[in-house]
Every structure is written in C-alpha cells, then in structure tokens.
Amino acid sequence: MSDPSTESFFWGTATASYQIEGAAAEGGRAPSIWDVFAHTPGKVERGDTGDVACDHYHRFKEDIALMRDLGIQAYRFSISWSRVLPGGIARPNAPGFDFYDRLVDELMAGGLTPFATLFHWDLPQVLQVSGGFANRDVVGWFSDYAVQTAERLGDRVKHWIMLNEPSVYACLGHALGMHAPGLTDLQAFRAVTHHLNLAQGAALRVLRSTNPAWRLGTTLNLHRGVPADGAEASAAMAERHNDLWNNCFLGPLLSGAYPIRILPELEPFVRSGDLETIQQTVDFLGINHYNRAYIQDDSNALLGFRSVAPPSEVPRTSFDWEINPQEFRDVLLWLRDTYPCPPIYITENGAYFDDIVSVDGKVHDARRIDFLDRYIQAMQEAQAKGVDVRGYFVWSLLDNFEWACGYRPTFGLVKVDFNSLQRIPKDSYFWYRDFIRQHRNITHPQTASASR
Ligand code: GCO
C-alpha cells in the first residue's frame, strides 16, 4: 500500500448512484427512500424520478471512456445500498455487487483510481420503515453494509468515503422536508444528526480493524452562513446555521465534541461512549464546497432561521448560488485553523448554469469554465498557504438528477439529453481535459500554485 503523502494530486470528477444509475428495478435492486420520495406527487419538479436517470447502469463503459478521454486520474461514485443489500441488512444481492465489480474493474483497466462513497442519501426504504437514521439501530445496519461492501470491492477500492454531506441529509430530509424522507420533525432531525455521526464512527472503526490498508474518510459540505440583513437575530442565527451545518459534524469527528450551543438539543440522544465512537482517525476529509448561505432569523421556521437568495449585486449561478472563489479559499483556511485536520480532497465543486446546444451542436458553457478556473485557483491559493489538499473532483461528470429539482439544473461537464440519453461533452469538458494535461504530474500539492 502506497503512502498517500507520496500520491500524485488527483484530478477527478464525482457522481452519485441515485443521480445517474437508473435501472431502478433491475438486478434485484429494492426501492430506496429517494424512489419513494420522487414517486410521491409534488415532491420533485415536473415529477422527475431516478428510474432511468443517465442510464449509467447500462452505459457505464461509455461513461468511463469519457472519463479516460478527459484524462482524470480518479473517479468518485457512490454505492446504492438497496442495490447491494435490497433487504437493508444481511443478505447480499449478487447482481448488485456484480455491477460495482464490473464498474471498478473497468475503472482500474482505464487507470482510474476509484473513490467509493458508501452513503449518498439513498437509504433502503425498508430501513426507513423502521425509522431510518432516526433509529439508533442504524449504527449496526450501516456498519454491516459498510463491511460487506468494502470486503467485496476493497481488493481494488482503496479510498472509502463513509457519508456524503450528512448535514444536508439531516436538515433537508428531516427538518425542511425538501429531500427524502421528507420529514419536518425537529426531534427526528436531532436524532438523525447524532446517529449519522455515530454510524460513521462505528463504520470507520470496524473498517479500520478489517483492513488497515484502506484509506478511510468522509465527505462534509462546508457551507458557512452570513446574516442576510442587519438584524442582531439574523447574526445569531447565522452562527446557529454554522453550528448545525458545519460544526456538528466537524466537531465530534475531529475534536470529540459537539458545539456547545447545540449540545443541549442533542443530549437526549447521546449516550456514554458515543463521542469516543465518533472521534475516529480519518486518513482524509472530503470537502464539498459550493457557496455561502444568507441566513435570516425566522421564528416560524423549525430551526429558527431560513436561507434566502444573496443580495442582488452578488454574482451567482443559475441556482442563485453566490459565486465567491475567495470564500472557497477562506473556508479551507478556516478549517485548517479551527480543527486538527487530516489531508483534504475536494470531493465536489462545480456549478449549475443553464446550458444551450448551439447551432454547431456544441455546448459553449463559458461561465462554467470561468467558475472552475477561479475556484481551482482559489484552492491553489489555500494550498500555497499550507492547506494540504490532495485532490479535486468536479461535480459533476454528467448532467444528472438534481434531487428535488429533477433534471432541470445541469451541473455536468457532459450534457445528457434525457430523451435520447446521448452524451455531449461541453466546452468545459475540453477545458478541464487540457487543464489536467498541463497539471497532471503534480506530486506535491503545495507546488500546484507555482506551476499555474
Ligand atoms: C449535494 C450532493 C450532490 C449534488 C450537488 C449539487 O451536495 O447536494 O453531494 O449530490 O447534486 O451538490 O447540488
């Protein structure tokens, strides 16, 4: 096993199972909470579902050929829990694991390093019926799934990401009701927040003892809040947002403690020994970064605040997300200065812009190129100031199912025509290909900015 400190910097792209795979009822896959949510009228724009998505399940070879031509060295994908363990626990589903076997083999044959995420939100529905992450039993369910999956693929997959953005899963899924499982229940939100941390810690512990050569980490979304107006209450709520969104996951993992202001809310769910379980050594931290949140005090909201669009003068993507590369640099510096932080991979960064196919049949997405260029530069500024970043993954390789917004928001370097399922590489794909060619042999991340 190579020492990760000598690994080359990884340029990559990221996707997630429910957002791209399709084949929702094939090969013995059982429904996940996202199948149920998307099929519930009114939950997803236009009634879009992941039934077919990008049909990556059938077209993964074509997609890996696109990755090879792009020249990426690493690919982050997620495992669909309900494809490999349709019952949620215990009995593995051979055709489900076979799919990931073939996917990993094809990646390795193409010289691509796989980064596998175990949980990118698509919990088997059968486990949600038993309470999902609000039920403390999820600690055992998740550990069992993690071990079975890592044992099956871990002879080739070295990098394992436990969770993707637990804050989004807890908050949008259990407090705001905007994501599966669609709850608006403060107690469930609090229980889920703690149980995500606990399940992650238990899985890290058992995977570490199963195979010490695996590189283990998790992916958090760093999304700082700023007050949207001059009210004192909004400033206080921006701090609350920071605690709930960022510090509730960074704190227990890296420092063994929940933020002091939030602890009383979580305490009913925290048992003796839990914080020791959560505080595990991680080989890396995955960071997803998109934007800041503009926070407004709102006493009618379940969490006490709401997130609003940025002020009109602020540059933004088609999602109304602030474009602010300095914040990307600064949040990395803040992380380094605030927590004992392991090496970092930027496991997602990217932008939705409305794309059009021009008369020449191409997608001239100059705004996405500009965005990526500026954000990569900001990351390199953080590296130059000593932040240990070892990889960068664009979200996303393909346009895909953007959760409650369905197929409308397009984040891909490759356009997908959701009628014909044809793939059309955008200008940003060719830009990233050329960028990687110029920057591919960087072994010491800190030299990255010098070579630009
Ligand atoms: C998330 C997820 C991705 C999203 C991406 C764009 O952050 O929500 O990890 O699944 O698609 O971030 O919103």
Side-chain angles (χ1 to χ4, degrees), residues 190-324:
R190 290 167 172 159
V192 168
T193 294
H194 181 58
H195 295 155
L196 282 161
N197 279 320
L198 197 58
Q200 171 183 281
L204 284 166
R205 185 184 270 164
V206 63
L207 291 184
R208 180 80 66 207
S209 66
T210 307
N211 184 349
W214 286 328
R215 315 310 309 171
L216 306 178
T218 202
T219 279
L220 305 180
N221 173 327
L222 292 192
H223 180 53
R224 294 199 289 189
V226 285
D229 54 40
E232 233 171 75
S234 293
M237 284 299 144
E239 286 311 309
R240 179 167 166 77
H241 163 96
N242 285 332
D243 279 346
L244 289 175
W245 198 285
N246 305 316
N247 297 318
C248 267
F249 297 94
L250 289 165
L253 174 65
L254 301 176
S255 304
Y258 279 111
I260 201 79
R261 288 173 294 217
I262 303 295
L263 189 58
E265 297 179 51
L266 300 181
E267 234 156 15
F269 305 100
V270 180
R271 296 189 193 162
S272 128
D274 283 3
L275 285 160
E276 288 72 30
T277 302
I278 298 172
Q279 190 183 15
Q280 296 293 320
T281 302
V282 276
D283 300 301
F284 65 89
L285 191 62
I287 295 298
N288 293 355
H289 178 74
Y290 291 93
N291 62 348
R292 291 191 300 182
Y294 284 84
I295 299 296
Q296 213 162 48
D297 171 55
D298 179 357
S299 51
N300 293 320
L302 205 59
L303 299 176
F305 60 85
R306 60 198 174 108
S307 178
V308 299
S312 56
E313 67 278 10
V314 167
R316 68 198 61 215
T317 69
S318 301
F319 239 165
D320 258 355
W321 289 0
E322 176 185 69
I323 301 175
N324 183 348

Side-chain angles (χ1 to χ4, degrees), residues 28-36 81-91 122-133 135 137-138 141 169 181:
R29 180 185 179 279
S32 77
I33 57 171
W34 267 97
D35 296 276
V36 173
W81 186 342
S82 58
R83 197 180 285 292
V84 298
L85 297 184
I89 51 168
R91 198 181 52 82
D122 43 356
L123 185 75
Q125 174 64 16
V126 64
L127 298 181
Q128 188 60 41
V129 171
S130 303
F133 270 86
N135 181 343
D137 290 348
V138 74
W141 305 336
Y169 186 72

Side-chain angles (χ1 to χ4, degrees), residues 30-31 46 71 97 158 177 189 193 205 225 231 237 262 280 302 310 317 319 338 352 380 393 424 427 433 449 451:
R46 292 177 312 273
F97 272 122
K158 184 171 98 173
F189 162 75
T193 294
R205 185 184 270 164
M237 284 299 144
I262 303 295
Q280 296 293 320
L302 205 59
T317 69
F319 239 165
T338 312
Y352 152 41
Q380 293 179 331
F393 295 73
I424 307 172
D427 284 0
R433 181 194 63 184
S449 58
S451 71

